[in-house]
Amino acid sequence: MKKKQNLRDIDNQKHSGEHSHDDGHNHSSPEKASKFRTYLPAIFSFVMLITGIVIDYFDAFPFFEGWVRIIWYVVAYIPVGFPVIIEGWKSIKNGDFFTEFLLMSIATLGAFAIGEYPEGVAVMLFYAVGELFQSAAVKKAKGNIKALLDVRPNEALVYRKSDYVPVDPETVEIGEKIQVRVGEKIPLDGKLLSEKASLNTAAITGESKPGTVTKGEKVFAGSINLDGVIEIETTKEFKDSSIARILDLVQNATARKSKTELFIRKFARIYTPIVVFLAIGLTFLPYLFVDNYVFEDWLYRALIFLVISCPCALVVSIPLGYFGGLGAASRNGILFKGASFLDTMTKVNTVVMDKTGTVTKGVFKIKDVVNNNAFPEAEFMKYLMAMEEQSTHPIAKAILEYKTEGADFEASEVSEVAGKGLKGTVNGKTVLVGNKALMTSNNIQVPAETESIVESIVMVSIDGQFAGYVTIADELKEDAHEAIKQIRKAGISRIIMLSGDKDSITKEVGREMGVDSAMGGLLPEDKLNEVERLKRETGTTVAFIGDGINDAPVLATSDVGMAMGGLGSDVAIETADVIIQTDQPSKIARAIQIGRSTRRIVWQNIGLAFGVKIAVMVLGAFGMATMWEAVFADVGVAFLAILNAIRLQKMNWK
């Protein structure tokens, strides 16, 4: 059928004068007029056809015969038939002889040649109606992508020359200050300058629940400001912003065909000429074997054969099915870089995941504070915090979030002991903060209980005496346990955790989550070697999930690379095949489910199209089906296949 409209054309239409309201409805008279013009040829042909059939049936007008009748049906045919004939001619000039346009042209002109004028018009009319249904279906299936295009901000209020002025977001530079009012979209990625902001990020993350961002935190283009005027310092140009990259990804995804799509397109190019030659054979070969051969009868059968053999349902519904899968995934905060990865996702039987930033938040927090009786906990923590204020280590940041009352202590003469920790003076006392090696090298006895602790541990000594320790742990994400449960439910036979964190910590997290095996202390190349080893196993298809930075080599090597934190990581965008925008590991199972649903619907459409077509083609060849039945079967199959593909847009996966 018609060539698919490029997504950029949708974008161009969107900015070509349509007047859209915030409620998402378009009330512009130009669009209504455009829709009417689209339907007008089919409406005109339909009225002419029905009128002609009624006159024929009731024989109401004696003059409606001969050339008058022929001209009537030719006039009815031209609005819907002429564009198809032109397309067929263009294809032939481009060297593409066997197309659906040629099939429909031969079938309808042949019907006219043997005097079956109403059927000739009907074939082309129903073909045109099928085109309209297809166009509406494609438009509906592209709804999620168009919604993404709609969230692209058109204006930015930038602080220039002592005032905020509206400019095109593409002209804003990094480091400039922008203002976003209530209900407006954030035009560029940046960091929040205001104290806090409530943002709706549904369009870019799939999360319906508004989120709160505090001063200094990242904000992303396309988010909607829900409460109060906020100010932002831009950190990226518009072309590098989250929403621009997402749009580019989704647009390009439709161009990366699945193997099934590519096969069907190749098949159609072989299938169509075969059908044409079979139809020619069906017209002339019976002359050699049938006693009472009537050319018009066998030509009529051949024309039926051509109509029902048109591969419209296959050529349209299969790409539409994959497009529906891509749209459904984006609605759920999952970006597939192409339809091919929807297919590969259905074959995954081994899931390998990173730990930090994938199933954990990647944010360290104090788990336990253990101090001896010499210092109360609050005083003990003040000594520790005074020292950690001099450090830039992520663990220091976690310790400094501890809340204490009263005046803070100050450290002086702080020096770093390489690979061990810090040494300094607090309130006139010598304080050591670090690992066991630091304590041992300073002849400080460490309690035996610390040997069995798997979490990161920070030990403290004050004036040569062991004062206590704190344990630091990375928190599991809220849906981490549910993610493993859902992955198992999706039929994945093996779940493995690989991490660069301590082996003891990785194994503990693995046990808590219930994965099949866990290994820690791995360098990026170690993870790569392990995934390559798994891939060499017969029948193993590996999906690797990481944070997209240190795991880039593994993401590229695995059968399906899935990146967490797609909005914040350039490496994830570039390397991964699938991007989970919400950072939720539970979306891993959702991606598998969407891939399987898409493939199931695609194969349903293939079975439906082939089954019905073969049945009616056989009936037509034996003279047991009329042109009308062929038309209804062809259009009906295409329509059912399109409706089936659209189901993906309405599916909910639990």
Side-chain angles (χ1 to χ4, degrees):
M1 290 195 169
K2 285 180 184 172
K3 296 176 179 66
K4 287 194 281 185
Q5 184 182 20
N6 191 285
L7 288 172
R8 298 188 188 279
D9 295 338
I10 296 175
D11 188 33
N12 292 337
Q13 290 172 8
K14 185 172 74 68
H15 295 290
S16 64
E18 292 180 4
H19 179 64
S20 298
H21 299 279
D22 288 339
D23 61 3
H25 298 286
N26 191 304
H27 305 284
S28 60
S29 56
E31 182 169 341
K32 287 182 179 178
S34 176
K35 282 184 178 179
F36 181 73
R37 285 195 297 270
T38 301
Y39 299 136
L40 187 58
I43 293 170
F44 177 82
S45 292
F46 177 75
V47 172
M48 291 285 289
L49 174 64
I50 294 300
T51 304
I53 290 172
V54 169
I55 295 172
D56 275 340
Y57 184 78
F58 290 104
D59 198 18
F61 302 102
F63 67 84
F64 194 72
E65 60 184 22
W67 283 106
V68 173
R69 184 170 181 264
I70 293 171
I71 291 170
W72 182 276
Y73 284 116
V74 168
V75 171
Y77 177 86
I78 287 173
V80 290
F82 188 68
V84 176
I85 293 172
I86 292 298
E87 285 296 328
W89 176 244
K90 286 179 180 176
S91 297
I92 290 171
K93 285 205 303 184
N94 292 330
D96 193 2
F97 290 88
F98 299 103
T99 63
E100 64 202 66
F101 306 116
L102 179 66
L103 288 182
M104 301 309 294
S105 300
I106 293 173
T108 53
L109 294 175
F112 268 78
I114 61 174
E116 301 290 350
Y117 310 121
E119 284 149 308
V121 176
V123 168
M124 202 59 88
L125 174 61
F126 285 117
Y127 179 78
V129 171
E131 288 283 276
L132 293 174
F133 277 129
Q134 176 208 331
S135 178
V138 169
K139 187 174 181 181
K140 185 174 180 65
K142 289 180 177 178
N144 287 311
I145 283 76
K146 192 173 186 300
L148 279 174
L149 290 167
D150 286 338
V151 304
R152 182 166 61 183
N154 301 318
E155 185 178 88
L157 285 175
V158 187
Y159 190 74
R160 291 175 181 172
K161 297 180 181 179
S162 303
D163 195 13
Y164 283 99
V165 292
V167 300
D168 188 317
E170 294 186 12
T171 66
V172 180
E173 297 179 359
I174 295 172
E176 289 198 275
K177 186 165 70 172
I178 59 175
Q179 186 183 78
V180 184
R181 297 164 184 160
V182 178
E184 291 182 347
K185 299 156 192 160
I186 295 175
L188 298 104
D189 289 1
K191 63 180 180 180
L192 188 66
L193 297 177
S194 304
E195 288 302 317
K196 67 174 183 176
S198 180
L199 303 177
N200 178 352
T201 61
I204 51 175
T205 66
E207 277 294 299
S208 58
K209 185 180 177 182
T212 300
V213 180
T214 57
K215 185 175 182 178
E217 290 188 329
K218 292 179 181 178
V219 293
F220 299 105
S223 304
I224 298 173
N225 180 26
L226 300 177
D227 185 22
V229 178
I230 60 173
E231 292 181 340
I232 296 163
E233 181 184 319
T234 61
T235 56
K236 291 182 181 176
E237 294 180 358
F238 180 79
K239 62 183 175 65
D240 298 321
S241 66
S242 54
I243 194 68
R245 291 182 303 176
I246 290 168
L247 290 174
D248 186 59
L249 267 179
V250 178
Q251 287 175 339
N252 290 335
T254 60
R256 299 179 70 169
K257 308 297 182 187
S258 71
K259 288 183 180 179
T260 308
E261 276 184 277
L262 294 172
F263 168 75
I264 289 298
R265 289 183 180 276
K266 289 177 182 176
F267 172 79
R269 293 193 174 278
I270 299 169
Y271 164 86
T272 306
I274 289 174
V275 163
V276 171
F277 288 119
L278 285 175
I280 294 170
L282 186 60
T283 305
F284 296 106
L285 287 178
Y287 176 79
L288 303 175
F289 306 103
V290 178
D291 293 332
N292 55 341
Y293 174 80
V294 179
F295 173 76
E296 287 80 3
D297 289 347
W298 288 101
L299 177 60
Y300 185 72
R301 293 186 188 188
L303 295 176
I304 292 171
F305 190 82
L306 283 178
V307 170
I308 193 58
S309 64
C310 185
C312 305
L314 287 171
V315 173
V316 172
S317 65
I318 291 170
L320 191 61
Y322 282 109
F323 197 96
L326 293 170
S330 68
R331 194 182 72 235
N332 281 271
I334 305 165
L335 291 179
F336 282 84
K337 282 191 175 179
S340 57
F341 302 117
L342 277 167
D343 269 350
T344 310
M345 206 71 201
T346 65
K347 303 171 186 174
V348 169
N349 51 30
T350 301
V351 168
V352 181
M353 55 178 63
D354 180 39
K355 180 184 74 69
T356 307
T358 301
V359 296
T360 68
K361 294 179 179 178
V363 178
F364 292 105
K365 288 199 172 183
I366 292 176
K367 184 177 180 181
D368 293 307
V369 178
V370 179
N371 58 293
N372 60 26
N373 296 328
F375 299 96
E377 181 177 317
E379 186 179 354
F380 166 77
M381 287 302 298
K382 285 182 181 180
Y383 277 102
L384 173 57
M385 292 167 70
M387 294 289 291
E388 293 291 5
E389 279 182 346
Q390 311 299 313
S391 173
T392 58
H393 195 280
I395 287 179
K397 183 179 178 182
I399 291 170
L400 292 174
E401 289 179 355
Y402 185 88
K403 305 297 182 186
T404 60
E405 295 182 0
D408 293 333
F409 293 170
E410 289 189 10
S412 60
E413 301 175 5
V414 177
S415 61
E416 184 175 350
V417 182
K420 297 179 180 179
L422 301 172
K423 181 178 182 180
T425 302
V426 180
N427 287 356
K429 301 180 186 293
T430 300
V431 179
L432 298 175
V433 172
N435 56 23
K436 183 181 178 182
L438 179 65
M439 300 294 129
T440 303
S441 63
N442 285 273
N443 300 316
I444 295 168
Q445 190 173 357
V446 176
E449 68 189 63
T450 59
E451 297 293 335
S452 60
I453 296 173
V454 297
E455 293 91 357
S456 297
I457 184 169
V458 178
M459 302 180 182
V460 181
S461 78
I462 302 173
D463 270 352
Q465 297 295 318
F466 187 81
Y469 60 88
V470 296
T471 56
I472 307 293
D474 189 2
E475 284 186 294
L476 283 175
K477 291 180 179 177
E478 287 79 2
D479 65 332
H481 288 97
E482 181 64 19
I484 301 300
K485 180 181 174 183
Q486 290 299 325
I487 292 170
R488 297 276 190 207
K489 191 176 176 182
I492 301 302
S493 59
R494 185 165 46 170
I495 305 173
I496 298 168
M497 183 178 291
L498 304 177
S499 177
D501 204 350
K502 287 169 55 178
D503 188 55
S504 57
I505 295 175
T506 304
K507 282 183 163 53
E508 178 64 27
V509 172
R511 276 194 296 271
E512 185 179 347
M513 292 185 62
V515 302
D516 296 305
S517 65
M519 288 181 279
L522 302 176
L523 296 171
E525 53 265 36
D526 298 326
K527 294 182 185 179
L528 180 63
N529 292 336
E530 183 61 23
V531 167
E532 286 179 337
R533 183 190 66 77
L534 290 168
K535 284 182 66 178
R536 285 194 294 270
E537 294 180 4
T538 305
T540 300
T541 304
V542 179
F544 179 84
I545 303 93
D547 63 3
I549 299 172
N550 297 326
D551 298 318
V554 202
L555 286 168
T557 302
S558 56
D559 295 301
V560 181
M562 304 180 70
M564 291 287 179
L567 292 181
S569 170
D570 292 325
V571 179
I573 291 284
E574 294 298 325
T575 311
D577 307 314
V578 182
I579 298 164
I580 298 176
Q581 301 178 77
T582 59
D583 276 356
Q584 295 174 292
S586 56
K587 293 292 178 76
I588 299 167
R590 183 70 51 85
I592 296 170
Q593 291 168 330
I594 291 172
R596 288 177 179 173
S597 296
T598 302
R599 190 166 179 79
R600 185 164 55 248
I601 279 178
V602 165
W603 281 101
Q604 285 171 358
N605 285 349
I606 291 172
L608 174 69
F610 273 119
V612 173
K613 283 182 180 294
I614 289 170
V616 180
M617 283 167 71
V618 172
L619 292 173
F622 284 97
M624 300 171 66
T626 67
M627 184 78 78
W628 293 98
E629 288 163 346
V631 169
F632 280 115
D634 180 50
V635 174
V637 168
F639 185 54
L640 288 174
I642 288 167
L643 288 178
N644 195 33
I646 289 174
R647 281 199 305 130
L648 278 165
Q649 300 296 309
K650 300 182 181 296
M651 283 185 180
N652 288 313
W653 293 270
K654 299 292 184 183

